[in-house]
């Protein structure tokens, strides 16, 4: 069966390094700063952020597809710190038992390009997935909305941290 896919891209205010750090530490950060999206993320194998790690993601009841996909088991299949890219494969949970036969994602964080002048602050986050459909697939718009909400929420959190740090200085 051929795979399909979709993607989303967001321009964020925070630096590529700050956003990459937050994405890389998702196990700890996402539930704390996005409790309306992620109820809990636990590492079930290895450290939860390096290649070969397995994470159990439990979505908050407030998430639109919560009844359709309450939990996902995600394996981190590749981490490249130089290009700020992480790839994952959903191995278990309703995503792959009810909605997809396979579901793989890649997230890349890149600095905004400089157009022959000083580099503009901020970054671009590119998230994509490839999947093989099964009966009852979740709408691509629902999943893209989840990812956009995640990255925008991380950006807002990082900006609050930067502004509170600046205010104390």
């Amino acid at each position: 069966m051929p795979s399909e896919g979709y993607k989303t891209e967001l321009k964020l205010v925070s630096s590529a390094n700050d956003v990459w750090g937050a994405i890389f530490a998702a196990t700890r950060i996402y539930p704390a700063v996005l409790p309306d999206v992620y109820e809990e993320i636990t590492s079930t194998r290895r450290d939860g952020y390096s290649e070969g790690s397995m994470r159990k993601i439990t979505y908050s009841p407030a998430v639109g597809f919560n009844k359709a996909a309450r939990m996902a088991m995600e394996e981190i299949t590749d981490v490249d710190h130089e290009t700020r890219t992480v790839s994952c494969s959903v191995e278990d949970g309703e995503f792959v038992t009810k909605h997809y036969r396979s579901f793989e994602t890649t997230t890349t964080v890149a600095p905004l390009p400089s157009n022959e002048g000083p580099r503009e602050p901020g970054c671009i986050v590119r998230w994509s997935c490839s999947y093989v459909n099964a009966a009852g697939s979740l709408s691509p718009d629902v999943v893209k909305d989840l990812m956009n909400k995640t990255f925008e929420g991380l950006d807002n959190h990082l900006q609050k941290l930067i502004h509170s740090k600046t205010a104390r200085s």
Side-chain angles (χ1 to χ4, degrees):
M1 194 175 273
S3 71
E4 301 176 57
Y6 49 89
K7 60 186 173 183
T8 188
E9 181 174 297
L10 286 161
K11 180 179 176 180
L12 303 180
V13 176
S14 300
S15 75
N17 285 338
D18 287 346
V19 172
W20 173 246
I23 290 171
F24 192 69
T27 304
R28 211 178 62 249
I29 292 175
Y30 285 20
V33 302
L34 300 163
D36 56 330
V37 178
Y38 301 96
E39 186 174 290
E40 181 180 42
I41 302 177
T42 56
S43 176
T44 62
R45 183 174 68 207
R46 300 194 57 183
D47 55 21
Y49 51 84
S50 63
E51 191 171 319
S53 291
M54 184 74 78
R55 301 186 291 204
K56 178 182 177 185
I57 301 168
T58 305
Y59 297 100
S60 166
V63 173
F65 63 80
N66 177 271
K67 289 184 175 131
R70 175 94 169 108
M71 186 274 295
M73 290 292 286
E74 173 183 83
E75 180 180 11
I76 299 172
T77 56
D78 187 52
V79 176
D80 185 335
H81 291 288
E82 190 172 319
T83 63
R84 295 183 198 90
T85 300
V86 61
S87 297
C88 301
S89 176
V90 179
E91 301 294 326
D92 197 6
E94 291 91 352
F95 263 87
V96 292
T97 60
K98 291 182 180 178
H99 303 288
Y100 300 100
R101 289 192 178 156
S102 68
F103 194 86
E104 298 174 353
T105 68
T106 299
T107 305
T108 301
V109 182
L112 291 178
S114 63
N115 297 326
E116 309 245 349
R119 185 174 298 274
E120 190 178 339
C123 67
I124 300 286
V125 176
R126 293 178 183 95
W127 178 90
S128 63
C129 73
S130 61
Y131 61 91
V132 175
N133 258 347
S137 291
L138 292 169
S139 157
D141 290 336
V142 170
V143 180
K144 286 193 290 188
D145 286 347
L146 169 74
M147 298 318 301
N148 289 341
K149 187 173 186 176
T150 298
F151 299 133
E152 289 168 351
L154 284 178
D155 194 31
N156 289 337
H157 172 71
L158 292 168
Q159 289 304 300
K160 286 178 189 173
L161 289 175
I162 290 167
H163 291 302
S164 71
K165 191 185 252 186
T166 304
R168 282 186 259 153
S169 300

